[in-house]
Amino acid sequence: MKGRYKMPYGRRRWRGGEGEEACPRRIHRFLEPCLLTLLHCNEAHGYELLEGLKQFGFDQNPVDSSTVYRRLRGLEKRGFASSRWDTGGAGPARRLYQITEEGDRYLAWWAEDLRETERVLHQFLERYDTHMEGHATQMEERP
């Protein structure tokens, strides 16, 4: 892809070309629909949810487990998920999370909102690519 800037894995803070300090990814809110989608399929322990996030592209930039557990507590507090203690397995009791009916509605809202975001981003990227291709042609034609 000649002439195109490829953003490295993990976002970078723009500093006018100086330094490459990593910027924290702003994924905390996007974790919500991902976690709810996983819970829509099956109830799960936190560790299983952490592993399941890889399906959504978080394998390249894994999410810290404390962030996931904070999101789960927030979803539970707002009534979108519930949990219970699972004492059936070997070892200590673990929380088992599941989606609620309200969480199901919230997930549907997220899906609708993400579709609209995708539409707007697609239009932006098309406009940007068209502009940059024209700009590259102009630069090549200069003496």
Side-chain angles (χ1 to χ4, degrees):
M1 295 183 2
K2 182 184 170 206
R4 287 194 182 178
Y5 172 75
K6 185 173 190 256
M7 185 174 285
Y9 288 116
R11 295 186 182 164
R12 304 281 179 194
R13 180 177 298 134
W14 177 254
R15 295 181 178 261
E18 298 175 21
E20 301 237 353
E21 182 181 328
C23 172
R25 294 177 55 86
R26 300 184 187 274
I27 48 85
H28 298 102
R29 291 299 307 268
F30 181 62
L31 283 174
E32 290 182 352
C34 296
L35 290 168
L36 289 172
T37 299
L38 292 169
L39 293 174
H40 198 274
C41 299
N42 292 301
E43 60 181 2
H45 297 103
Y47 179 77
E48 294 168 323
L49 295 169
L50 272 166
E51 287 297 308
L53 288 172
K54 293 176 182 178
Q55 301 170 44
F56 298 96
F58 292 106
D59 51 339
Q60 293 291 333
N61 293 296
V63 180
D64 186 68
S65 62
S66 64
T67 301
V68 171
Y69 286 107
R70 271 194 307 276
R71 283 287 122 194
L72 286 167
R73 281 192 303 275
L75 289 168
E76 200 169 4
K77 184 178 180 180
R78 290 167 27 225
F80 301 139
S82 63
S83 68
R84 62 180 173 84
W85 287 104
D86 180 12
T87 58
R94 299 184 300 166
R95 282 200 180 275
L96 194 57
Y97 295 90
Q98 61 189 25
I99 194 170
T100 63
E101 285 184 37
E102 187 66 22
D104 192 42
R105 288 188 288 274
Y106 185 56
L107 177 58
W109 175 86
W110 259 106
E112 183 180 323
D113 188 64
L114 288 170
R115 282 188 182 99
E116 177 60 17
T117 300
E118 178 186 38
R119 183 189 67 75
V120 170
L121 288 175
H122 181 76
Q123 288 180 352
F124 166 79
L125 292 171
E126 278 187 351
R127 174 74 175 107
Y128 174 82
D129 289 344
T130 300
H131 170 77
M132 294 309 281
E133 288 169 4
H135 181 71
T137 302
Q138 289 174 355
M139 296 302 286
E140 290 172 1
E141 292 175 355
R142 287 186 176 175

